[in-house]
Amino acid sequence: MRRLLLLLIVVPLFFASCYTVKKIQTLNPPPKTSLKKESIYPLIAKLKATNPKYCWISAHFTVDIDKDTSHDSFSGLIRIRKDSIIWMTVSYLLGSITVAHVKLDNDSVMLIDHYHGNYFKGTYDYFDSLWGEDLDFDRLQSVMTGTSLEFYNDTSKMKAYYDGRDYILSTVRKRRFKR
């Protein structure tokens, strides 16, 4: 009786598990068509249409730093009001110890370093001289929100080209643009 019961269970499982292998369906590669060359204006319109629209953004972040034999982990909160202000709070040990507060607005930077007991209030020019980069509020906001930089007003400073796969819009550096 046991053998018959075992046979009734095993045989259907055996036949149910033995079936032909299905082939994986592959998508046909896109046809190689040449894209028509577009001028700057339609490309800028498409770029503006893909930018996210928001008033406020709030996001949590974590940073892991591995340096030689030491490992540090920071977390924090970023709150951004579009074209107005960016607040950051940086914490250590899963948010239990606040390390720093950062306030960035259109023309000034404020930083309170609780860990070292320092305070900084200044402009973005300090970071330009420190790192040698053109750093400003618009650039930081666009990096943090994933939007494109706003150089749309003066299209004479822009050029567009097609590199075989993508359209690329480029401008002169902002420092040159200001001059």
Side-chain angles (χ1 to χ4, degrees):
M1 184 69 179
R2 281 186 163 178
R3 287 186 184 170
L4 183 61
L5 183 62
L6 183 64
L7 193 62
L8 287 174
I9 293 173
V10 172
V11 170
L13 287 176
F14 177 76
F15 284 112
S17 65
C18 295
Y19 59 90
T20 60
V21 177
K22 294 181 181 179
K23 291 185 179 181
I24 297 174
Q25 295 180 354
T26 59
L27 297 175
N28 295 332
K32 294 192 176 191
T33 60
S34 60
L35 295 173
K36 66 177 185 173
K37 293 187 178 185
E38 292 195 39
S39 67
I40 293 173
Y41 301 107
L43 293 175
I44 290 174
K46 289 177 185 176
L47 188 64
K48 282 183 179 181
T50 59
N51 279 343
K53 293 167 181 47
Y54 65 92
C55 185
W56 283 92
I57 290 179
S58 181
H60 291 272
F61 67 90
T62 57
V63 176
D64 293 323
I65 300 171
D66 292 324
K67 185 177 180 182
D68 297 332
T69 59
S70 66
H71 174 79
D72 286 323
S73 180
F74 296 95
S75 62
L77 173 69
I78 298 175
R79 291 172 289 177
I80 301 172
R81 183 172 184 178
K82 187 174 184 176
D83 299 331
S84 178
I85 196 164
I86 299 173
W87 285 296
M88 287 191 289
T89 302
V90 181
S91 302
Y92 189 67
L93 295 176
L94 300 173
S96 61
I97 301 171
T98 301
V99 177
H101 286 107
V102 180
K103 178 187 167 205
L104 308 167
D105 58 14
N106 288 326
D107 56 352
S108 67
V109 176
M110 295 171 66
L111 167 72
I112 301 173
D113 182 358
H114 296 288
Y115 186 73
H116 295 103
N118 295 332
Y119 175 80
F120 172 77
K121 182 176 181 180
T123 63
Y124 292 98
D125 295 334
Y126 172 75
F127 297 108
D128 290 347
S129 64
L130 185 66
W131 294 319
E133 286 294 322
D134 298 333
L135 190 65
D136 62 356
F137 180 81
D138 294 329
R139 193 168 285 197
L140 285 171
Q141 178 179 269
S142 68
V143 167
M144 290 181 182
T145 58
T147 58
S148 59
L149 290 172
E150 300 283 337
F151 287 120
Y152 308 132
N153 298 335
D154 191 2
T155 56
S156 65
K157 305 287 185 190
M158 299 183 83
K159 61 180 179 179
Y161 60 92
Y162 180 69
D163 71 347
R165 196 183 87 177
D166 297 317
Y167 284 107
I168 297 176
L169 285 171
S170 65
T171 66
V172 295
R173 292 183 63 149
K174 190 162 185 178
R175 182 175 292 162
R176 290 185 197 158
F177 186 70
K178 286 181 180 178
R179 289 181 189 167

